[in-house]
Amino acid sequence: QTDVCESADWYNSKFIVSTASNLNMTRTPDVHFISEARTEGTKFVVLSPDFSMVAKYCDEWIPVQAGQDTALWMAANHVILKEYYIDRQVPYFIDYVKRYTDLPFLV
C-alpha cells in the first residue's frame, strides 16, 4: 500500500508479493495488471492475516500474524544473500549491490 512502483511493471514481473495491502481497494484502477500478469504465468503471493479481496487472485496465501512478516522477510533476505553472495558469486548481483545499495558498508 505504500509502494512506489509503476503498476504496469507488474505485468512484466514473474513473481509478485503483496504484503498487507488490499490492491482492490487501494489500487483499484491498477489491479487489472495483476490478473493480466497471472495470465502470462506470474506467480502471486499474498501475505495478510485475513483472506482479503486480493487474496482470491493469488497462487499462495500466507496468513501471517503480527510480527511474523518481519521474520519472513529476514529469512528471505538470508536466503538471497546466502545463495547469491556467499555460496555462489553472481556477477550481476555483486555489481548491483556495489552500485545501488549500502551493503558493502554494513557490518
Side-chain angles (χ1 to χ4, degrees), residues 15-41:
F15 191 84
I16 300 172
V17 178
S18 174
T19 304
S21 176
N22 191 343
L23 299 175
N24 292 16
M25 299 297 286
T26 60
R27 304 287 288 267
T28 305
D30 303 327
V31 77
H32 69 91
F33 287 113
I34 295 290
S35 61
E36 291 172 18
R38 291 208 56 239
T39 301
E40 294 296 314

Side-chain angles (χ1 to χ4, degrees), residues 43-105:
K43 297 299 176 201
F44 182 44
V45 176
V46 172
L47 304 171
S48 178
D50 61 334
F51 193 79
S52 64
M53 290 173 26
V54 77
K56 68 182 177 184
Y57 299 120
C58 70
D59 295 298
E60 183 88 26
W61 169 53
I62 302 175
V64 295
Q65 301 298 319
Q68 289 179 337
D69 53 344
T70 304
L72 183 115
W73 285 117
M74 286 176 64
N77 286 331
H78 173 77
V79 169
I80 291 168
L81 289 173
K82 184 157 174 30
E83 292 184 6
Y84 292 95
Y85 193 69
I86 306 249
D87 293 344
R88 176 172 58 110
Q89 298 289 310
V90 177
Y92 176 82
F93 184 79
I94 302 293
D95 181 56
Y96 182 87
V97 164
K98 287 179 181 176
R99 286 183 193 225
Y100 303 110
T101 75
D102 61 355
L103 181 63
F105 301 106

Side-chain angles (χ1 to χ4, degrees), residues 5-19:
C5 67
E6 170 61 41
S7 302
D9 285 340
W10 296 342
Y11 182 76
N12 299 318
S13 300
K14 297 299 173 209
F15 191 84
I16 300 172
V17 178
S18 174
T19 304

